[in-house]
Amino acid sequence: MAKILITSALPYVNNVPHLGNLIGCVLSADVFARFCRSRGYETLYICGTDEYGTATEAKAIEEGVSPREICDKYFKIHKSIYEWFNISTNRFGRTSDPIHVQHTQDIFLELHKNGMLLEKEVEQPYDQKVGLFLADRFVTGICPHCGSKDARADQCDKCGKLLTYSELGEPRSKLTGTTPVLKKTKHLFLDLAQSQPRLEKWIDGIEKEGRWSANTLAIARSWLKEGLQARSITRDLKWGVPVPLKGWENKVLYVWFDAPIGYVSITAGLTDKWKEWWLAGNEAPGSPSEVRHYEFIGKDNVPFHAIIFPAMLMGTRQPWTLPHYISSTEFLNYEDGKFSKSKGVGVFGNDAVESGIPADVWRYYLLATRPESADATFSWDEFGTRLNKELLGNWGNLVNRTLVFLTQNYEGVVPAPEELSEEDEAFLADVKIRLEREADLLEKVQIRAAVQEFMGAASAANAYLQAQAPWKSVRENPKRAAAALYCLANVIHDLAIASEPFLPSSSASVARQLGVKLGTWKDIGQRQVAGGHHIGPAEHLYKPLDTKALAGFREKYAGRQKKEGEEKGGKTPGSKTPGSSPASAPKKSAPAAPVAPLSLENLQLEVGLIESVERHPNAEKLYVEKIILANGEIRTICSGLVPYMKEEELEGRACVVVKNLKPAKLRGVESAGMILVAEEEGGKLELIMPPAPAGTPVQFKGITPNSQPPAISIDEFFTVQLTVKKGAVYANGHELLVDGHALKVQKVSEGKVS
Ligand SMILES: [Zn+2]
């Protein structure tokens, strides 16, 4: 019997997975793993988080914590989301586990011993202030394509173009804001060209056996045709697997090198027999190896899994298990755009968990729209249709109508039929054939078509129920009704087994309702529900979603900017005077509509320098300040501080500016932003003066700022609780940080900020 080894691309740890990530790898692999177990194959499904590398270090700097803390936090988020979705990994591990370091270093040392590594000197940007080489993501500057000032040296987030360091205008270190210098450093490269002949032979064999899709083969062939280049495998970083060689102590292995070894190390963390899975030597065409490795990845990962990782394993000259089949999906888009955490667009794993919609409904929708051959789009309309018409209208209704009827008319006992008619036999045979087709499709990892085949079988059962009309025949022809209900109970039993890979919780519910233990694929067609069997109490499988509920979800996940755009026009800007103390603020003239709380990632605070202060021409209590911000930008801001501070107490001082406040006219002067003051109970007022130059961002501990925050209204700003505790400033309980240090005020020790 074949041993089936299943891996899902390891999700990168520093974010929350969205629905596209789920269907792309983890959920698709889960369906296949559940199917293989039901078929009786020895099955191992391995996944986990990919934790090392620059992106984690960057995130840690952003959130003001250590990389380990970032990984611990996001690992938990990933794990809990996948558990909620009923992902049945045998082990969900981590690449930051010590066992991973050991496996990665072992493979590295074998490659080194076999002469697969080259040493090269390269020039890399270096931050002299902190004494660190800078990965591309740590350098920002001006994009040569769109002029964005925040382009990273590897990619511009605004226009999406890939960049190199030399293309970037006015490069700055993200760590210190200084201009990096180019400095020489040495790196190790993996000489992939040495593996090319073996790879070609291996891929010829795969093509002959017809194992991979035409697309996957085409991508692999194009890489081989271009010839494999040496790839750098070391980095000047700290958060990674140390290079286990003398003279290389300050470098780590590049994350692309260690991440796929995670498949192996996570297996080794589960079982001592990991070699039976991973050193099965299936490279030769038609090799007798019993292990078949199925990889589930996104389409952008094909070259890596089809070429680079196998080339790396071949370089060790060990009989590694190579991929038998690669299932790659296209992308899932959201409504009319892309998923974006920072813009609040789309449904992310945590949103699904909190939606109140059961995991099986999400699973069904994602599997039925799985982007197998082209990009697919999530749409709430289609989500509603698939739930209401297919899951509930077809499968749920079949179960409910049949079992409730058995309870009400047969006291919950499946009748024993005297004889089955030709129609009954034809119905049972038809369902059996459909489910065999479903199994054939699942063997070939054609999940979407398999889902359709299952739904087709449920439709056939509904048609049979309708034609048999046991609600009539139970009185007119009881023998007929008994035979029909016996057949239906058995078909529902089989359908529960056949849908378990897609809908595990629903199948468990159907088994409870039938009063049976859910069997495996070999039980299908065996008429396991005998006459005289007592069924269990009925449960509702699914609840419908009406158009109003769907519209609510659509609006909720449409993105913050879009919602703000829709609000424009009707709503007037808040009437509270920016920069004023609460005591002096004019009262709101009319109660406004409730404002959604502003999430801190969208509150942009920056250190400003007050260049000049004047009295407002038309308002007694207002000053008009000119304030210098990042890149020399000068803003005019009005603040109601006249009763509290003299001009000379403000002029030339540093301050904290709410930078992304929507501009508003205050008595004829446009004010763009506000400055923050601390206020002690009883009225002592103090300008918050950070010890940092103008343009320095003010951050919230534990919060990753949105790189392009939307403009916010004054009412949204006031939903944030800004307080002073023991002289330090907090927003919603998150400490404010400047250059990584707590922002302190001098006189006020307890109070609020506005
Ligand atoms: Zn750009």
Side-chain angles (χ1 to χ4, degrees):
M1 186 68 74
K3 282 164 84 116
I4 308 291
L5 173 60
I6 299 166
T7 56
S8 157
L10 306 185
Y12 200 76
V13 77
N14 73 342
N15 55 27
V16 178
H18 59 64
L19 297 180
N21 304 137
L22 270 154
I23 186 60
C25 317
V26 182
L27 175 57
S28 298
D30 179 64
V31 169
F32 188 63
R34 287 175 179 277
F35 169 71
C36 289
R37 293 185 192 113
S38 182
R39 293 289 262 187
Y41 307 146
E42 191 180 352
T43 303
L44 187 69
Y45 174 16
I46 291 295
C47 191
T49 42
D50 172 11
E51 303 195 355
Y52 283 128
T54 325
T56 305
E57 272 199 358
K59 189 87 170 181
I61 288 170
E62 275 174 24
E63 296 198 11
V65 297
S66 70
R68 167 63 66 189
E69 284 172 292
I70 283 287
C71 291
D72 287 351
K73 173 181 159 188
Y74 283 95
F75 169 75
K76 274 194 203 127
I77 292 174
H78 276 269
K79 192 164 193 286
S80 68
I81 287 172
Y82 301 137
E83 279 170 1
W84 185 81
F85 274 96
N86 267 310
I87 304 299
S88 65
T89 43
N90 291 81
R91 181 157 188 258
F92 188 83
R94 309 177 61 170
T95 62
S96 65
D97 282 345
I99 195 169
H100 178 73
V101 172
Q102 179 206 319
H103 279 268
T104 304
Q105 292 185 337
D106 286 352
I107 287 178
F108 170 87
L109 289 171
E110 277 169 350
L111 292 168
H112 179 63
K113 185 183 76 192
N114 295 341
M116 289 286 292
L117 303 183
L118 309 170
E119 190 179 321
K120 289 188 188 179
E121 200 174 56
V122 294
E123 279 196 323
Q124 226 182 302
Y126 182 80
D127 185 324
Q128 290 174 301
K129 200 165 166 188
V130 286
L132 282 177
F133 281 99
L134 298 167
D136 291 341
R137 300 177 60 114
F138 282 117
V139 183
T140 56
I142 298 168
C143 171
H145 303 287
C146 74
S148 163
K149 285 176 182 164
D150 294 314
R152 292 195 320 245
D154 56 345
Q155 189 171 13
C156 172
D157 278 338
K158 197 168 175 199
C159 69
K161 294 234 165 64
L162 296 179
L163 303 175
T164 61
Y165 177 76
S166 59
E167 291 175 288
L168 203 66
E170 298 177 24
R172 314 182 292 283
S173 161
K174 241 179 144 176
L175 302 181
T176 61
T178 57
T179 306
V181 295
L182 279 174
K183 198 175 156 176
K184 282 184 177 154
T185 180
K186 57 176 185 171
H187 280 298
L188 287 169
F189 285 68
L190 180 59
D191 190 11
L192 291 168
Q194 290 189 44
S195 291
Q196 174 133 359
R198 257 175 88 179
L199 269 174
E200 282 172 355
K201 206 175 150 202
W202 175 58
I203 294 208
D204 286 345
I206 288 166
E207 191 162 8
K208 250 182 231 147
E209 292 176 15
R211 278 196 266 137
W212 288 5
S213 74
N215 258 352
T216 306
L217 272 173
I219 293 170
R221 289 273 180 222
S222 79
W223 273 64
L224 290 172
K225 202 176 158 201
E226 281 197 14
L228 298 181
Q229 307 292 318
R231 269 176 89 99
S232 164
I233 61 166
T234 54
R235 296 299 259 175
D236 292 291
L237 274 182
K238 292 193 172 62
W239 184 241
V241 175
V243 177
L245 286 180
K246 240 191 152 174
W248 294 82
E249 289 85 357
N250 292 328
K251 306 200 188 239
V252 299
L253 292 168
Y254 208 159
V255 64
W256 74 257
F257 181 87
D258 87 82
I261 298 171
Y263 299 144
V264 179
S265 70
I266 293 168
T267 311
L270 175 73
T271 168
D272 292 340
K273 296 182 177 169
W274 64 272
K275 285 184 182 172
E276 290 178 13
W277 292 98
W278 282 105
L279 289 165
N282 63 348
E283 185 179 331
S287 74
S289 164
E290 291 201 327
V291 177
R292 292 188 187 169
H293 179 198
Y294 286 78
E295 292 189 321
F296 288 79
I297 59 174
K299 70 173 166 189
D300 46 344
N301 246 330
V302 171
F304 192 77
H305 285 79
I307 296 289
I308 297 170
F309 186 44
M312 190 169 133
L313 293 175
M314 286 173 180
T316 65
R317 300 185 198 153
Q318 300 293 323
W320 285 101
T321 304
L322 299 175
H324 174 84
Y325 182 80
I326 296 177
S327 168
S328 69
T329 46
E330 309 282 315
F331 294 133
L332 181 72
N333 296 314
Y334 183 78
E335 293 277 349
D336 44 13
K338 282 195 163 70
F339 288 87
S340 163
K341 190 78 188 159
S342 61
K343 291 181 190 143
V345 175
V347 178
F348 285 74
N350 55 326
D351 300 323
V353 173
E354 289 158 13
S355 66
I357 301 169
D360 272 6
V361 177
W362 292 103
R363 288 176 65 110
Y364 178 75
Y365 175 80
L366 291 171
L367 294 166
T369 50
R370 185 173 186 252
E372 286 180 2
S373 50
D375 287 1
T377 297
F378 179 99
S379 114
W380 280 104
D381 282 340
E382 195 192 346
F383 188 90
T385 306
R386 291 209 181 265
L387 165 59
N388 296 339
K389 296 210 169 130
E390 296 175 14
L391 263 189
L392 174 64
N394 188 2
W395 173 226
N397 267 346
L398 172 72
V399 174
N400 194 254
R401 287 167 79 191
T402 306
L403 301 188
V404 167
F405 192 81
L406 274 172
T407 303
Q408 290 176 348
N409 295 278
Y410 294 85
E411 295 179 328
V413 179
V414 177
E418 278 182 25
E419 58 169 358
L420 296 185
S421 68
E422 260 179 45
E423 273 176 316
D424 299 333
E425 295 286 3
F427 166 56
L428 294 174
D430 175 44
V431 170
K432 196 173 173 216
I433 287 167
R434 287 173 186 270
L435 299 186
E436 277 165 11
R437 278 204 301 261
E438 183 198 323
D440 288 344
L441 290 164
L442 284 174
E443 292 277 2
K444 290 184 265 181
V445 202
Q446 293 180 21
I447 295 174
R448 208 160 93 166
V451 169
Q452 276 175 10
E453 202 61 67
F454 156 71
M455 270 297 161
S459 292
N462 267 314
Y464 171 83
L465 172 64
Q466 208 57 34
Q468 292 291 322
W471 46 91
K472 281 189 206 156
S473 56
V474 72
R475 285 183 302 275
E476 297 162 6
N477 185 356
K479 283 182 190 171
R480 180 88 302 274
L485 284 159
Y486 167 83
C487 291
L488 282 164
N490 274 288
V491 161
I492 288 171
H493 169 271
D494 291 357
L495 288 174
I497 294 171
S499 60
E500 191 272 345
F502 321 129
L503 306 166
S505 303
S506 309
S507 289
S509 166
V510 174
R512 279 194 303 275
Q513 296 182 60
L514 274 173
V516 299
K517 191 172 166 279
L518 193 69
T520 60
W521 213 277
K522 67 177 181 343
D523 299 314
I524 289 177
Q526 301 303 310
R527 304 186 191 173
Q528 299 257 353
V529 186
H533 171 78
H534 285 258
I535 65 168
E539 300 169 15
H540 269 288
L541 276 183
Y542 309 106
K543 281 190 200 129
L545 280 176
D546 60 22
T547 45
K548 199 179 152 201
L550 290 166
F553 282 120
R554 188 183 300 110
E555 198 191 316
K556 187 168 178 188
Y557 301 114
R560 289 166 202 129
Q561 274 139 343
K562 192 166 178 185
K563 266 180 261 166
E564 283 201 352
E566 284 160 4
E567 273 171 21
K568 264 184 201 157
K571 218 160 163 236
T572 52
S575 53
K576 210 164 175 181
T577 312
S580 64
S581 78
S584 67
K587 292 277 175 281
K588 282 182 187 177
S589 52
V595 180
L598 178 67
S599 120
L600 282 186
E601 61 184 358
N602 288 326
L603 176 57
Q604 189 184 19
L605 301 183
E606 195 174 85
V607 177
L609 179 69
I610 305 175
E611 196 206 20
S612 65
V613 183
E614 282 170 20
R615 295 288 293 263
H616 192 292
N618 308 314
E620 260 182 36
K621 292 180 179 171
L622 295 183
Y623 284 126
V624 180
E625 296 113 345
K626 299 258 186 254
I627 295 179
I628 303 173
L629 291 170
N631 305 316
E633 182 193 355
I634 296 180
R635 292 259 184 112
T636 300
I637 291 179
C638 299
S639 37
L641 294 171
V642 174
Y644 305 94
M645 289 173 195
K646 299 199 176 83
E647 284 97 318
E648 54 269 31
E649 290 179 84
L650 295 167
E651 221 160 23
R653 308 279 179 169
C655 64
V656 177
V657 174
V658 181
K659 196 179 180 186
N660 62 328
L661 200 64
K662 284 178 194 162
K665 273 210 168 155
L666 295 176
R667 298 269 185 111
V669 176
E670 186 167 89
S671 174
M674 71 186 270
I675 59 178
L676 295 183
V677 290
E679 187 198 18
E680 190 136 280
E681 291 236 7
K684 190 162 59 177
L685 213 65
E686 181 187 345
L687 181 70
I688 301 175
M689 292 183 286
T696 309
V698 179
Q699 298 185 313
F700 309 104
K701 192 173 186 178
I703 302 286
T704 306
N706 183 347
S707 59
Q708 289 173 311
I712 60 171
S713 71
I714 189 76
D715 292 319
E716 284 176 289
F717 169 73
F718 279 119
T719 63
V720 176
Q721 297 282 328
L722 280 160
T723 53
V724 179
K725 279 180 212 149
K726 294 189 179 150
V729 186
Y730 293 83
N732 293 347
H734 294 265
E735 198 167 18
L736 269 63
L737 304 174
V738 176
D739 276 340
H741 298 288
L743 176 59
K744 297 273 190 184
V745 290
Q746 302 305 313
K747 295 177 221 150
V748 174
S749 78
E750 303 285 325
K752 47 192 174 177
V753 173
S754 61

